[in-house]
Amino acid sequence: DGNGNFTDESNSRLTSQMRLSAFGAASVIADINQDGVNDVVKQTSNLASFLIGCHQNDASRVLAATRDVLIEPHRSKLIPGFAEARHAALEAGAQAFSISGSGPTVFAFCLSQEHANEVCGAICQAFHDVGVDFDAWTTRVGAPGARLEDDE
């Protein structure tokens, strides 16, 4: 519309059951913490920042972008002890804590192996305290990551 907003002029071609356009459908996605920014926009921004951080080998950018604001608030409710484990990890000094894939695996980012061992212990204690059976280990993030190799 010239002001940076999308417009949808297709209403005249739609049946009454189809009046909710794609733009209208996108607007119903929540702003969970009610900061005025749609959660899809927040999550897309986090993903872009995460990818840029990976490309630039910028750990602080990657860590800042690790929080999943779109799906995690819903999936975390399906993981018994998630809130307690997150709290324990962050209190123990983890740089980030989240769900791996669709869960129930969780992970924490730490800046050293010694620190990772401490954080792992805190997470284990949190899950133990709520009666969750689990396996835990620490490992380094793989570097240099995905790459093309010469066939020769």
Side-chain angles (χ1 to χ4, degrees):
D1 69 358
N3 295 315
N5 299 308
F6 288 105
T7 60
D8 185 351
E9 305 298 332
S10 63
N11 282 341
S12 62
R13 295 184 302 273
L14 300 175
T15 66
S16 60
Q17 292 84 14
M18 298 171 64
R19 295 244 183 237
L20 184 59
S21 71
F23 300 118
S27 71
V28 301
I29 296 175
D31 173 15
I32 292 173
N33 67 359
Q34 298 181 349
D35 64 359
V37 181
N38 182 289
D39 290 332
V40 171
V41 173
K42 289 180 229 173
Q43 189 63 26
T44 303
S45 175
N46 282 349
L47 175 59
S49 188
F50 181 88
L51 294 173
I52 290 167
C54 288
H55 178 73
Q56 295 177 341
N57 198 28
D58 182 346
S60 62
R61 181 178 285 236
V62 169
L63 294 171
T66 300
R67 184 72 190 254
D68 177 349
V69 299
L70 187 60
I71 302 301
E72 183 179 293
H74 306 287
R75 283 191 185 142
S76 64
K77 296 172 188 170
L78 303 174
I79 302 172
F82 179 86
E84 294 85 348
R86 170 191 281 288
H87 179 76
L90 297 177
E91 283 291 309
Q95 303 298 306
F97 182 87
S98 193
I99 301 169
S100 179
S102 60
T105 301
V106 297
F107 67 90
F109 279 124
C110 302
L111 298 179
S112 71
Q113 183 63 48
E114 180 180 337
H115 193 223
N117 292 336
E118 293 171 18
V119 169
C120 185
I123 293 168
C124 289
Q125 187 63 53
F127 279 130
H128 176 77
D129 289 349
V130 296
V132 173
D133 189 26
F134 59 90
D135 292 313
W137 62 90
T138 62
T139 187
R140 294 178 51 91
V141 173
R147 61 197 173 281
L148 294 175
E149 294 188 7
D150 195 0
D151 288 339
E152 297 173 17

